[in-house]
Amino acid sequence: MLHRSWRRAATAAVAALLAATSIAACSDDPSDAKDLSENRAGAMADYGIGKQFKASEPVSFSILYNNHPNYPLRDDWLFWKELKSRANVTLTPVAVPLSDYEQKRSLLIGAGDAPLIIPKTYPAQEDAYVSSGAILPVSDYLDLMPNLQDKISKWNLKSEIDQRRQEDGKFYLLPGLHEKPWQDYSVAIRTDILDELNLAVPKTWDELYTVLKAMKAKYPDVYPFSDRWSKPNPAGNLLNILAVSYGLQGAGWNFQHTSWDANAKKFVYTGATEQYKQMLQYLNKLVSEKLLDPESFTQTDEQARQKLANGKSFVISANAQAVVNDYRPDLAKTNPKAKISKIPLPIGPAGEINPASRLENGVMISSKARESKNFVAMMQFIDWLWYSDAGQEFAKWGVEGTTFVRDAAGKPKLAPDVNVIGLNPKAPKHLQKDFGFYNGVFAYGGKPELVQGFFAPEEQEFQKVLNARPPVAVPPPHPLNDEEREQASLWETPLKDAVYQATLQFALGQRDFSQWDAYVAELKGKNMDAYLTMVNKAYDRYQKDHG
């Protein structure tokens, strides 16, 4: 941390205190106004930031456990043993296969049989359980969670947290928190072709167009860009990363019906905006000039990979794993001299932004937990394991001297006899399978150095570039009530289908842009205006009720 004068440090401390206070103040019914005297069995009297949680008596909590096929649940994991030793906590997993997790979670909650702790819940998935009272309004109990409050304050996450609030002003999901956004998806480029043509790595979408033009001039029989990830959503990744580069909330596989217009201070329909039109005009330009393979919108991943491997394309959507696990091995078989790398997300009209969310999947709490004599201890424990620096390091890296060691700078690194994601490929033990650490139920979020601890050096460089960009502005809260949510669900599918169909038609040149107004009129015919009125009414109502 940079050295500061005492005056600046004091100012920062006051600001942090005020921010933390404002977070707690958002709760309609904070827990210090409740009587929790009967619910403190096992709790620490002096629990706080930087303190190891250890229950004052042995406690046990049931937890819904997402059983991942890559590291099936084992009773003899060091994770469980160490949790008992460090925290005096025994977790009783109710194991559900990964493939059935969401359905089983819904059934258990609906029947009133859910375990007390319900992790692996993604933002907005909690919405379905709010009105029944089956899950706890966790925002009422933030004063029991000092590490969570500290990170929300220090990392300026209040606007992201506020976006998760329901109509009553409360939130019901304890999300995984990232200090910095983690944007993984971009495009990968054959860098040996760039070198051959004496071209720099493109930094913007316009520069990418120029690169594709040069590739086409040199290799006229090639579609320079042939894309993957088009099933089930056509051009799922490409449309999404383009949309956010144009200042929209998302498209493709992350299609968002509404985007926030900060100037007009209202929500607009994403698929009807001028930015969406400009994005499609960009894609149409690539297709019409034969720079983007029209089959990109319909082909399978395997077909896209084959084209790349056989020199029929040079550019493709990518994330870190796809480059290492798919593209390089594919190319090694067909063209050992070929080189390919994921490039930093190209910059578009919205300027330099990091579009990834800083909130990840998180934890719901069954409302039954509130009646438990160990309720306070449970909230303290959750705060330690999921939100303290020490708890996050433990969940990811495990036990020093057994699963990891520290380098000269004090940073953790895998013990030489332990492997994970191919970092020590010949090691006899596996961090996830044999020890239960780096488990998606418990390990996510945190500081960049923790999140990126297992990243290859090139991926760390990629993240360094993206982390230097400011996070994308978060739209304000606009929670729908139950009746509105039901109505929205009836309108959203026809609207989304219409947008998807027109997106393909405009991008592929099957529909001329002189038809844009007619397309918008079609969306209006599918209740677009009524949908927007409802969303903006929800925004106005929330502003009036909660500020």
Side-chain angles (χ1 to χ4, degrees):
M1 191 177 219
L2 296 172
H3 293 293
R4 301 175 177 175
S5 70
W6 68 268
R7 188 184 300 276
R8 288 175 66 198
T11 303
V14 170
L17 180 63
L18 287 171
T21 306
S22 71
I23 293 160
C26 288
S27 304
D28 288 356
D29 190 11
S31 60
D32 56 8
K34 299 171 183 279
D35 180 12
L36 288 168
S37 57
E38 301 297 314
N39 309 94
R40 294 186 174 274
M44 286 176 63
D46 60 346
Y47 177 66
I49 297 167
K51 287 213 167 189
Q52 167 66 51
F53 171 79
K54 186 155 193 177
S56 59
E57 60 186 58
V59 292
S60 178
F61 307 122
S62 57
I63 182 167
L64 192 62
Y65 183 84
N66 189 335
N67 202 358
H68 201 294
N70 290 355
Y71 43 94
L73 177 65
R74 282 171 47 174
D75 293 336
D76 64 347
W77 275 341
L78 179 60
F79 177 84
W80 309 120
K81 182 181 175 185
E82 195 69 19
L83 211 55
K84 174 77 174 166
S85 169
R86 292 189 190 197
N88 210 10
V89 169
T90 300
L91 288 178
T92 310
V94 175
V96 178
L98 172 69
S99 56
D100 297 332
Y101 189 74
E102 289 180 23
Q103 184 183 9
K104 185 71 171 174
R105 179 182 62 203
S106 181
L107 289 171
L108 286 168
I109 294 174
D113 296 329
L116 298 184
I117 303 173
I118 311 168
K120 289 303 278 186
T121 302
Y122 285 83
Q125 289 183 341
E126 79 277 17
D127 294 355
Y129 311 115
V130 169
S131 60
S132 68
I135 58 170
L136 204 66
V138 288
S139 55
D140 283 351
Y141 302 94
L142 291 187
D143 57 308
L144 302 177
M145 308 186 76
N147 287 291
L148 171 60
Q149 277 196 315
D150 183 55
K151 283 182 166 52
I152 292 171
S153 171
K154 275 186 183 169
W155 297 349
N156 297 314
L157 284 160
K158 186 176 180 298
S159 59
E160 282 97 327
I161 294 289
D162 282 350
Q163 199 188 18
R164 299 306 324 139
R165 294 183 186 275
Q166 300 290 332
E167 196 192 6
D168 59 7
K170 303 178 182 188
F171 62 88
Y172 290 73
L173 176 68
L174 295 167
L177 308 179
H178 287 262
E179 181 180 5
K180 297 280 189 180
W182 173 23
Q183 174 66 28
D184 189 12
Y185 288 86
S186 183
V187 293
I189 294 185
R190 282 271 303 274
T191 52
D192 58 311
I193 303 291
L194 290 181
D195 292 342
E196 178 193 337
L197 300 176
N198 199 24
L199 294 168
V201 170
K203 292 182 179 177
T204 66
W205 290 104
D206 287 341
E207 287 178 12
L208 178 62
Y209 165 75
T210 304
V211 163
L212 295 173
K213 288 276 283 184
M215 288 174 165
K216 184 71 177 177
K218 175 74 176 181
Y219 296 96
D221 296 335
V222 163
Y223 280 111
F225 192 170
S226 188
D227 212 20
R228 68 180 296 186
W229 289 322
S230 288
K231 307 257 181 214
N233 298 321
N237 174 62
L238 179 58
L239 283 167
N240 188 49
I241 58 177
L242 265 170
V244 294
S245 303
Y246 276 78
L248 300 168
Q249 298 305 135
W253 61 19
N254 185 36
F255 178 74
Q256 303 291 315
H257 286 275
T258 59
S259 293
W260 176 245
D261 184 333
N263 293 324
K265 292 214 164 354
K266 66 176 183 179
F267 286 91
V268 292
Y269 195 76
T270 299
T273 59
E274 180 63 24
Q275 297 100 306
Y276 200 86
K277 179 183 178 183
Q278 289 171 6
M279 174 186 81
L280 295 184
Q281 287 172 327
Y282 176 83
L283 281 175
N284 175 252
K285 180 169 70 168
L286 298 189
V287 171
S288 63
E289 296 184 25
K290 296 185 166 39
L291 308 179
L292 175 63
D293 182 358
E295 292 181 1
S296 295
F297 296 88
T298 51
Q299 68 190 353
T300 64
D301 285 7
E302 187 57 39
Q303 289 170 316
R305 285 174 59 182
Q306 288 269 332
K307 289 175 182 177
L308 183 74
N310 295 326
K312 302 292 185 188
S313 71
F314 307 132
V315 181
I316 189 169
S317 276
N319 61 17
Q321 289 198 11
V323 172
V324 175
N325 296 338
D326 296 347
Y327 308 151
R328 285 177 183 160
D330 290 350
L331 284 164
K333 293 174 191 169
T334 57
N335 184 359
K337 292 183 179 177
K339 294 179 181 175
I340 189 165
S341 293
K342 183 176 73 165
I343 67 167
L345 183 66
I347 297 163
E352 289 202 28
I353 51 165
N354 190 330
S357 172
R358 293 195 292 164
L359 301 188
E360 212 182 321
N361 71 83
V363 180
M364 292 189 296
I365 309 292
S366 167
S367 24
K368 291 184 297 186
R370 175 63 183 80
E371 307 311 314
S372 164
K373 66 176 183 176
N374 302 128
F375 174 67
V376 174
M378 189 185 84
M379 299 303 283
Q380 290 177 342
F381 164 71
I382 291 170
D383 181 66
W384 171 77
L385 181 60
W386 273 278
Y387 297 106
S388 77
D389 291 349
Q392 289 178 335
E393 182 183 88
F394 165 72
K396 179 160 188 171
W397 287 94
V399 179
E400 186 173 358
T402 303
T403 58
F404 77 94
V405 293
R406 294 193 189 275
D407 64 17
K411 288 184 179 178
K413 66 175 188 174
L414 281 177
D417 63 342
V418 177
N419 180 35
V420 75
I421 58 173
L423 291 176
N424 286 335
K426 295 182 180 176
K429 299 168 188 170
H430 195 277
L431 187 66
Q432 294 167 310
K433 296 175 185 176
D434 297 319
F435 297 102
F437 297 106
Y438 194 34
N439 182 325
V441 175
F442 305 108
Y444 42 78
K447 297 174 180 175
E449 54 266 34
L450 180 77
V451 173
Q452 299 171 23
F454 297 149
F455 287 3
E458 66 178 305
E459 179 62 16
Q460 293 190 14
E461 281 301 309
F462 175 92
Q463 293 300 330
K464 193 173 172 184
V465 173
L466 269 291
N467 285 342
R469 301 179 186 177
V472 67
V474 178
H478 50 288
L480 303 179
N481 60 35
D482 289 342
E483 187 181 333
E484 290 166 339
R485 199 175 286 127
E486 196 173 324
Q487 180 61 69
S489 68
L490 296 175
W491 287 339
E492 283 175 348
T493 301
L495 281 167
K496 187 176 182 179
D497 290 346
V499 173
Y500 273 35
Q501 183 182 16
T503 294
L504 280 178
Q505 291 170 338
F506 283 120
L508 291 170
Q510 297 165 352
R511 191 170 186 180
D512 191 81
F513 283 95
S514 63
Q515 289 286 303
W516 184 261
D517 289 346
Y519 152 67
V520 173
E522 289 160 18
L523 295 180
K524 290 182 177 184
K526 296 183 188 301
N527 301 295
M528 178 184 80
D529 288 344
Y531 181 84
L532 280 176
T533 298
M534 186 171 71
V535 170
N536 282 305
K537 181 179 164 190
Y539 160 71
D540 290 337
R541 181 176 63 226
Y542 188 92
Q543 289 294 305
K544 182 183 171 190
D545 293 346
H546 306 289

